[in-house]
Amino acid sequence: MKYDYLIVGAGLYGAVFACEAKKTGKRVLVIDRRKHIAGNVYTEEMEGINVHKYGAHIFHTNNKEVWQYVNQFAEFNRFTNSPVANYRGELYSLPFNMYTFNKMWGVVTPEEAAEKIEEQRRAAGISEPKNLEEQAISLVGTDIYEKLIKGYTEKQWGRPCRELPAFIIKRLPVRLTFDNNYFNALYQGIPQGGYTKMVSNMLEGIEVRLGMDYLEEKEELDKLADRVVYTGAIDAYFGYKLGVLEYRSVRFETEILDKPNFQGNAAVNYTDAETPWTRIIEHKWFEFGTQPKTVISREYSSEWKAGDEPYYPVNDAKNMKLYEEYKRLSASEEKVIFGGRLGEYRYYDMDAVIASALERCKYELGK
Ligand code: UDP
């Protein structure tokens, strides 16, 4: 065997694993189907602006070990995510906080806001939320659900809120303070110079082959290494033999505009049902850009089909049941480690992917 590890996928999971394995003296080969490294955190420069080609990625974590880990590979700026919701031209602050409640209801104090939410929750008669709709109403009431959640969520997931798992909406904080920080995280920022540079630093000194599809050449590639770290979709690995796991895909329409400022913020969410895109990202604001032009991306969500890029696993009961079956199958693939958002079919954030890769390294590499 020429390598100890063949790592399939040069995204965050693969890059962390490769970097740690190399440090312990292992021989590592990283391959990726795409023509570039960094998976979906890939950034590319346009007009001097780092464009998040596969959607906005804002690094945030409560995990000090992960924060210190990524800081070895990049310097992070002080960007704080504060998206704005645009509902038919009305602008609201996100996540749901006193600025949002004041704009929605005219309430001024936290008590008044809490009362309003409680009143709407009681009127809806929800005690134990069983789906995203009920969870949302019980967290923020019906007005906010109708204007800021329902339209956005149904565009994003292509399913009624009543058929979606409650945990998705729990990603968003609800606060009775005037705080527009989207995340409850101790550490937050954007790697200066872009994510591609950060991942490239992780992969320094490691052999990487791009444009190489593992599943197409599996037999040959497997001969190269003792162990395989597979970060692609788990159902694809098994040729979809138990059925197809559902994902959401995203299409981006990116434009260069000949003006310095389009929307005054990195992210504006279009929360009505009619606007076909879910959000517009203005990339320069991730790095406080002063360029004369600006680059924006409209995001359109769609159901994943063969040939598309999978982005979000649809972790509802039906898919989770199928995933568990694939997971059982994967246990008999003794040579292979399945990891990352696609390999584990989990709506992982970047910090959680890194934590999970580091954990796996400790176990696997005995460090
Ligand atoms: N969400 C919403 N309105 C918004 C933003 C988010 O209803 O303006 C809901 C939606 O269901 C979404 C979920 O919150 O899928 C999680 O949002 P997050 O911003 O964490 O999604 P991501 O950035 O991962 O796409």
Side-chain angles (χ1 to χ4, degrees):
M1 293 285 182
K2 193 160 177 251
Y3 301 97
D4 297 301
Y5 289 98
L6 168 67
I7 296 175
V8 181
L12 282 177
Y13 193 99
V16 168
F17 198 104
C19 179
E20 293 307 293
K22 178 175 179 269
K23 265 199 243 163
T24 60
K26 303 291 185 197
R27 296 158 306 161
V28 179
L29 170 64
V30 177
I31 62 170
D32 201 293
R33 190 163 51 85
R34 290 172 176 165
K35 296 262 164 43
H36 60 74
I37 58 163
N40 277 9
V41 307
Y42 175 68
T43 51
E44 193 178 279
E45 205 186 292
M46 291 171 84
E47 303 293 331
I49 298 163
N50 290 308
V51 174
H52 296 213
K53 293 293 273 193
Y54 300 89
H57 284 80
I58 298 123
F59 199 90
H60 58 100
T61 189
N62 274 314
N63 184 327
K64 192 168 183 183
E65 187 192 338
V66 167
W67 182 242
Q68 286 172 340
Y69 188 80
V70 292
N71 273 271
Q72 299 173 83
F73 306 104
E75 199 167 315
F76 281 72
N77 70 14
R78 61 143 191 92
F79 180 80
T80 301
N81 192 26
S82 304
V84 168
N86 181 327
Y87 177 78
R88 300 181 179 162
E90 291 170 30
L91 300 184
Y92 292 92
S93 295
L94 291 174
F96 312 117
N97 73 88
M98 284 304 295
Y99 289 111
T100 330
F101 306 140
N102 172 261
K103 177 89 186 247
M104 188 68 70
W105 299 312
V107 293
V108 170
T109 66
E111 282 88 352
E112 287 168 359
E115 234 168 75
K116 197 84 191 167
I117 293 170
E118 182 52 27
E119 187 187 299
Q120 299 200 346
R121 198 170 68 89
R122 236 182 294 120
I126 297 159
S127 48
E128 262 182 52
K130 286 182 285 298
N131 54 52
L132 196 151
E133 176 174 299
E134 294 182 4
Q135 182 68 69
I137 293 171
S138 83
L139 285 170
V140 288
T142 36
D143 290 339
I144 290 181
Y145 171 68
E146 293 293 339
K147 286 190 167 181
L148 305 185
I149 298 176
K150 189 171 193 294
Y152 185 93
T153 300
E154 295 189 345
K155 284 191 287 188
Q156 158 76 9
W157 295 97
R159 289 160 176 74
C161 288
R162 291 189 147 275
E163 290 173 22
L164 285 164
F167 85 87
I168 293 176
I169 201 68
K170 285 201 187 147
R171 291 169 57 83
L172 274 61
V174 178
R175 300 194 188 105
L176 294 172
T177 53
F178 290 91
D179 179 359
N180 287 332
N181 183 349
Y182 199 62
F183 301 116
N184 279 327
L186 278 174
Y187 311 103
Q188 180 172 182
I190 299 283
Q192 282 175 33
Y195 285 93
T196 307
K197 201 167 109 192
M198 177 179 96
V199 174
S200 155
N201 288 340
M202 289 176 171
L203 293 172
E204 203 182 298
I206 294 170
E207 187 180 347
V208 179
R209 296 190 204 162
L210 297 172
M212 186 170 264
D213 190 324
Y214 171 71
L215 295 176
E216 270 176 18
E217 303 172 56
K218 186 172 183 309
E219 217 173 293
E220 286 308 302
L221 289 166
D222 281 344
K223 289 183 193 145
L224 297 179
D226 292 328
R227 304 272 282 151
V228 174
V229 176
Y230 176 81
T231 71
I234 189 167
D235 54 344
Y237 180 93
F238 291 105
Y240 305 103
K241 68 179 174 193
L242 303 177
V244 179
L245 288 166
E246 291 175 309
Y247 296 90
R248 294 298 287 173
S249 191
V250 189
R251 183 172 62 81
F252 300 93
E253 275 178 10
T254 297
E255 268 182 81
I256 300 169
L257 304 178
D258 198 8
K259 53 170 114 177
N261 189 357
F262 170 72
Q263 62 184 17
N265 203 33
V268 176
N269 294 357
Y270 286 76
T271 58
D272 64 284
E274 301 77 33
T275 306
W277 54 85
T278 51
R279 54 190 167 193
I280 302 182
I281 301 301
E282 187 168 12
H283 301 268
K284 70 193 307 180
W285 303 128
F286 290 125
E287 296 184 68
F288 313 98
T290 53
Q291 299 83 356
K293 294 189 184 182
T294 193
V295 180
I296 62 163
S297 300
R298 287 186 173 77
E299 252 179 75
Y300 299 84
S301 179
S302 62
E303 197 65 19
W304 174 87
K305 52 182 188 343
D308 296 344
E309 292 293 346
Y311 283 77
Y312 297 88
V314 181
N315 294 117
D316 60 11
K318 179 185 88 181
N319 285 294
M320 289 315 285
K321 187 166 168 280
L322 181 55
Y323 168 67
E324 287 304 325
E325 289 171 31
Y326 276 118
K327 200 176 162 201
R328 267 196 294 280
L329 267 190
S330 73
S332 53
E333 296 289 302
E334 280 161 18
K335 180 174 165 157
V336 187
I337 295 164
F338 292 81
R341 204 184 249 221
L342 303 178
E344 296 175 62
Y345 198 62
R346 272 181 68 173
Y347 191 177
Y348 265 139
D349 284 330
M350 289 180 281
D351 64 327
V353 166
I354 292 169
S356 130
L358 288 173
E359 197 51 41
R360 187 70 207 201
C361 288
K362 279 182 197 149
Y363 175 80
E364 181 71 21
L365 307 162
K367 21 179 333 242

